[in-house]
Structure formats: C-alpha cells, structure tokens
Amino acid sequence: MLPLDVQRLTKAYGSNTVLAGVDISLAAGEVLCVLGPNGAGKTTLILTLLGLVKADSGEIRLFGNQQQGITRSQALRQQLGVMMQIGSLSANLSVYEQCDLFSSYYAHGYSAAELVQLAGLESHAIQRFGNLSGGQKQRLLFALALAGKPKLLFLDEPTLGMDVEARQALWQQVKQLRQQGVAVVLTTHYLEEAEQLADSIAVLHQGRIVAKGSPEELKALMQYKVVRCRSRLTDAELALLPAVLQVSRKQQQITLHSRHAEQTVRALLDADQQVTDLEVRPVALEQAFLHLTQTPATQQEQAA
Ligand SMILES: Nc1ncnc2c1ncn2[C@@H]1O[C@H](COP(=O)(O)OP(=O)(O)OP(=O)(O)O)[C@@H](O)[C@H]1O
C-alpha cells in the first residue's frame, strides 16, 4: 500500500489557481523532492496533502486511506511526521519542553531526551526556542517532525537558513530515514538538494508538475544547448528544425534551445546557407531549471 497517492489535485484561492491537477505517488523508502520557485505552490501542496487546507478536487490517499482531514484520524496521524515552520512553535518553551510536548503526542515515539539528541542540541536543552539561532531552530523542527517515528515524512524547505554544514548533516539524516523505509516528501528551491536526496523529482511550476523523473532523467531533460545565429528563416520554420525546444529573437539575433545541437545546426545550415554569427553554447543545470520554471506552464506541457 503506497504511503502517498495523489490524483488530479486542484486548489484555488479565489481566481488564483495554485494547484492545477497534480498527480504524485510515493513508495516506502522513497524520497520525492518537489522542486519549484517562490510561489510555485509547494507549501499549499503539503498543507493540502495533510488536510490542513481543503482541496477543491482530486483524490489524496495516505496509506490507502482517502484523506479526510488528518485531525480526524488519530491512527493516521501517528504515522505522519511534518516539519513545521519556525513561527508555529512557542518562543518561550525551552528545547527540552518542546521535545517533551511532541513526545507526548505519540504512543511509540522518541522520548524527549532522544529528540534533544536527534536535534544535536544537548548543550542547549534549557535554552528557550526563541533564543536559538536560525539553524538550531531548523534542527529542532526537524527532530520534532521525527517525534512519532513516522512512516511518511513531510519536509517543507527544511534547509532554509541552514549553513552548508547543517544542510549536509540534515541530508545525511534524510538518507538514513530512507534506508529505514520512511517515505519522504521534501520541498526545496535548490536543485542541488533535490539531486542529492531524491529518488524522484517533481518540478512544480504555476501549480502544475511540468517535469517529473529521477535526478538523471531530469538532468537529461534539462541538458540542452543554446544555438545563436542570424538567419532568414522565420520563427515557425526554426521551430520545426530537429530537436528545437524553443525559439526566441531579439532584433536579428536568434536564440534556439536545442536538445541536440548538432542535429539542429546541420538542418539549419541545409535550410539556410546564408546563416551568420553561428554559436553553440552549453547551459548550466541551474540555468536550465530556471528556464523550465520561467516558461509558462501550459506552453511547456504543449512542448512535452
Ligand atoms: N491562504 C492563502 N490565501 C490566499 N492565497 C494564498 C494562500 N496561501 C498561499 N497563497 C498563494 O498561493 C500561491 C502559492 O503559494 P505557496 O506558499 O504554496 O508557494 P511556495 O511554492 O511554497 O512558495 P515559497 O517557495 O515562496 O514558499 C502564491 O501565489 C500565494 O500567494
């Protein structure tokens, strides 16, 4: 039985469609990274999956059960872990008190002392949450998400504000959880984070999954080259050249994105012997991701 299975999920706030038919599924021991820029709908997706925001339509199954708002299902809650936002914890409780509180929610979870240790905050146990550094707060929030030894864990931008060392330590913990069979949904802005951790990556853009696959598959999808030239061919003719993904033009300067630059250039030279200023350049992965999430989502679907 899949820990998570989501079909055709939609959610709008007024006229703002935030989730526009999202399908995702997740097996035990699998890490799914939902990658997307600011405002892509990542937090809304997590809140909707948790039943904290009501979906407009679609189906969400958690361990085979139709999701009907987790607050109503104690049994289901015991299997879930959620890394909350910093603002959701009381600034006045100490690290130990927070751990004690979270530990009390679960029948078979970690003890307060174990959670303090998981957060690596033994020497800060009596410090108030409000006085921790940003990175320490994130570590505590991560440990609290594990309080009930969850089988399905939701991490919404877990490494935000962490330094490189803390980020790598958290990645290590996520990898260990995966080995233990925990299914993890992790949202992030960072392609590198997704590459490090994900079994599968879903790129969310304007509420749609515009690309989905293993890190290798996505890399292949995003590994295109830029061909620049001047040519008498029209945009429509250029778009029909083999392997061309996108055509843009600034005055006389034409830019083509090509999955296979050699094929494109060969056909371009056959079609127009007058081509000038021809130039082929690779694209960095980060840049390719930016491109993927800057093109309107519907246009990408047509291209896919
Ligand atoms: N409660 C709400 N009421 C109205 N609009 C909302 C609400 N929550 C989110 N939105 C809108 O939904 C869109 C998606 O927001 P969301 O927070 O899900 O994006 P995100 O991908 O998590 O962004 P970020 O990376 O900046 O956290 C945004 O346009 C946001 O303004």
Side-chain angles (χ1 to χ4, degrees):
M1 202 181 301
L2 289 175
L4 182 66
D5 192 13
V6 179
Q7 311 272 335
R8 303 175 304 279
L9 190 64
T10 69
K11 172 74 195 170
Y13 288 111
S15 61
N16 183 10
T17 302
V18 181
L19 300 175
V22 170
D23 296 324
I24 47 174
S25 64
L26 189 61
E30 192 182 336
V31 178
L32 168 72
C33 284
V34 179
L35 190 64
N38 284 124
K42 302 182 295 296
T43 300
T44 305
L45 174 64
I46 299 259
L47 293 176
T48 311
L49 297 183
L50 289 167
L52 298 172
V53 160
K54 198 172 177 315
D56 295 335
S57 66
E59 204 168 274
I60 303 169
R61 288 185 177 274
L62 299 166
F63 301 103
N65 301 293
Q66 182 101 29
Q67 205 263 59
Q68 293 167 326
I70 57 157
T71 41
R72 272 174 265 154
S73 168
Q74 261 304 322
L76 201 51
R77 265 184 91 127
Q78 296 284 319
Q79 302 189 66
L80 303 182
V82 184
M83 184 166 165
M84 303 189 306
Q85 303 292 324
I86 286 177
S88 55
L89 289 191
S90 159
N92 291 322
L93 288 185
S94 73
V95 168
Y96 186 86
E97 285 166 337
Q98 301 277 15
C99 291
D100 200 30
L101 185 65
F102 273 71
S103 172
S104 74
Y105 297 152
Y106 299 96
H108 307 287
Y110 288 109
S111 68
E114 285 171 327
L115 289 177
V116 173
Q117 206 179 353
L118 264 176
L121 291 172
E122 294 91 326
S123 54
H124 298 270
I126 57 168
Q127 198 165 320
R128 291 194 319 172
F129 179 71
N131 294 335
L132 296 175
S133 73
Q136 288 168 338
K137 284 178 181 159
Q138 289 288 94
R139 267 157 46 200
L140 180 59
L141 287 164
F142 180 68
L144 295 177
L146 303 182
K149 299 185 179 168
K151 294 200 177 111
L152 174 58
L153 181 62
F154 293 92
L155 304 173
D156 192 7
E157 298 187 31
T159 58
L160 205 68
M162 283 186 175
D163 61 23
V164 178
E165 211 175 310
R167 182 171 293 178
Q168 282 174 351
L170 187 135
W171 289 352
Q172 207 47 45
Q173 283 173 297
V174 171
K175 286 176 186 171
Q176 280 166 12
L177 289 166
R178 173 173 52 190
Q179 277 171 7
Q180 292 160 18
V182 179
V184 182
V185 180
L186 184 149
T187 72
T188 182
H189 287 164
Y190 306 119
L191 190 59
E192 190 203 351
E193 184 154 287
E195 263 192 285
Q196 279 283 330
L197 294 176
D199 296 297
S200 57
I201 299 177
V203 180
L204 188 66
H205 176 45
Q206 297 177 349
R208 289 176 198 276
I209 307 274
V210 294
K212 197 162 32 174
S214 67
E216 291 69 32
E217 285 166 340
L218 276 212
K219 261 197 206 166
L221 184 70
M222 292 196 262
Q223 262 164 9
Y224 59 88
K225 287 190 178 163
V226 170
V227 178
R228 291 218 166 86
C229 65
R230 286 168 194 259
S231 164
R232 59 175 178 75
L233 297 184
T234 63
D235 286 4
E237 287 168 330
L238 291 163
L240 287 174
L241 294 174
V244 168
L245 296 168
Q246 191 188 312
V247 180
S248 59
R249 186 188 289 265
K250 215 180 209 175
Q251 288 153 353
Q252 297 302 309
Q253 177 76 58
I254 295 161
T255 303
L256 306 174
H257 289 171
S258 168
R259 261 191 235 284
H260 200 300
E262 291 77 7
Q263 278 181 16
T264 302
V265 169
R266 235 174 270 137
L268 173 67
L269 293 172
D270 279 349
D272 176 9
Q273 274 96 39
Q274 313 296 320
V275 168
T276 56
D277 297 338
L278 185 63
E279 193 189 334
V280 179
R281 278 200 215 154
V283 182
L285 206 55
E286 284 290 344
Q287 219 179 326
F289 167 66
L290 279 179
H291 168 245
L292 198 59
T293 56
Q294 275 166 2
T295 314
T298 44
Q299 197 175 317
Q300 282 167 24
E301 280 177 356
Q302 282 162 14

